[in-house]
């Protein structure tokens, strides 16, 4: 293997420690403990695992944490009322609605996310925070792309003046990644499903971010030798040795690309671990913003 392995656990530990220190400062200054509420509607098993991990993250750092479990049959009005209650609860500084919502509520997803007080929007999906990120103001920033940027910085991988290529233009990963890289003075190209000659573009990247949602999509012929390759993808494929199980793989063909790249994140064990650490950071930032008001 030629590439340096960027293991999420080391960076996640550093980012959690940072959040823990900032939380201590808040407790000392305001006598208040940062608090996070996570709303989950319905019984999606993957979402339940994510919510449990978020609660665990809070417990580790001594945050106040509230899990709000609502049934599959929850109406738009009931969900909005719960968000309204949490918006007005001074113990809660961060509110997160776990996505995806059950089918019946999906048409209201934008309305639901916009009902969250922008100062408590720890997912960074509210248009106010999106606008603040784009215009370079202090914002609550989506956890996954922010975690990627912090990892690059902590790993000492230069961003300024480099050519960064992002594959994927979702509101959750690709677009915020574009703005975060721009704010660090990278030259950024964003690619998507209609991009022509994708490999020619990705081969120019000093930093290549894959957020496609397609298993092992990025192959060695798409990677510039020595590039830093950040794999955001989380894909389940049939397990090669056991038909009763599945296997987690990223959007990058890790085994082959690690022979070409200069640095690479594994899946599992890479970017995924940073998301919760960044959620803890956002909860602290949200608490600071509210208490300073
Ligand atoms: P989306 O499905 O919302 O976006 C995928 C993007 O990939 C789209 O912009 C799409 O283009 C683009 N794309 C699809 N096919 C191609 C192709 N053949 N060539 C080039 N671009 C293509 O996914 P997300 O951004 O939400 O997530 C991406 C991945 O990251 C998923 O695997 C997801 O599970 C994972 N993820 C991981 C997180 C973590 O914590 N680690 C958090 C969030 C996501 P177009 O816009 O044209 O359709």
């Amino acid at each position: 293997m030629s590439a340096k392995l960027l293991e999420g656990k080391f960076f996640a530990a550093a980012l959690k420690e940072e959040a823990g220190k900032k939380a201590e400062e808040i407790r000392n200054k305001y006598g208040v403990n940062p608090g996070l509420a996570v709303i989950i509607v319905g019984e999606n098993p993957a979402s339940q695992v994510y919510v449990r991990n978020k609660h665990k993250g809070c417990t580790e750092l001594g945050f106040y944490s509230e899990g709000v479990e609502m049934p599959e049959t929850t109406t738009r009005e009931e969900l909005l009322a719960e968000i309204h209650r949490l918006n007005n609860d001074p113990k809660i500084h961060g509110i997160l609605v776990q996505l995806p919502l059950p089918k019946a509520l999906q048409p209201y997803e934008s309305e639901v996310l916009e009902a969250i007080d922008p100062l408590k929007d720890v997912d960074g999906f509210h248009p106010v925070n999106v606008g603040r990120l784009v215009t370079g103001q202090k914002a609550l920033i989506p956890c996954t792309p922010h975690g990627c940027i912090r990892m690059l910085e902590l790993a000492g991988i230069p961003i300024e003046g480099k050519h960064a290529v992002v594959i994927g233009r979702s509101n959750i990963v690709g677009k915020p990644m574009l703005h975060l890289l721009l704010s660090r003075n990278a030259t950024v190209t964003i690619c998507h499903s209609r991009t022509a000659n994708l490999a020619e573009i990705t081969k120019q990247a000093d930093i290549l971010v894959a957020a496609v949602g397609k298993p092992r999509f990025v192959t060695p012929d798409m990677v510039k030798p020595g590039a830093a390759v950040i794999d955001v993808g989380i894909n389940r494929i049939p397990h090669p040795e056991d038909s009763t199980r599945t296997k987690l793989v990223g959007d990058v063909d890790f085994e082959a690309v690690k022979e070409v790249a200069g640095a690479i994140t594994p899946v599992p064990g890479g970017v995924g671990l940073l998301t919760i650490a960044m959620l803890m950071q956002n909860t602290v930032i949200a608490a600071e913003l509210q208490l300073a008001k």
Side-chain angles (χ1 to χ4, degrees), residues 144 167-170 172-173 192-193 198 211-214 217 232-235 251 271-272 275:
T144 301
I167 320 177
R169 57 175 165 179
S170 71
I172 296 175
V173 189
H192 45 77
S193 66
L198 181 66
V212 195
K214 294 209 155 105
F217 180 81
V232 182
I234 300 178
N235 309 290
D251 288 347
V271 167
T275 302

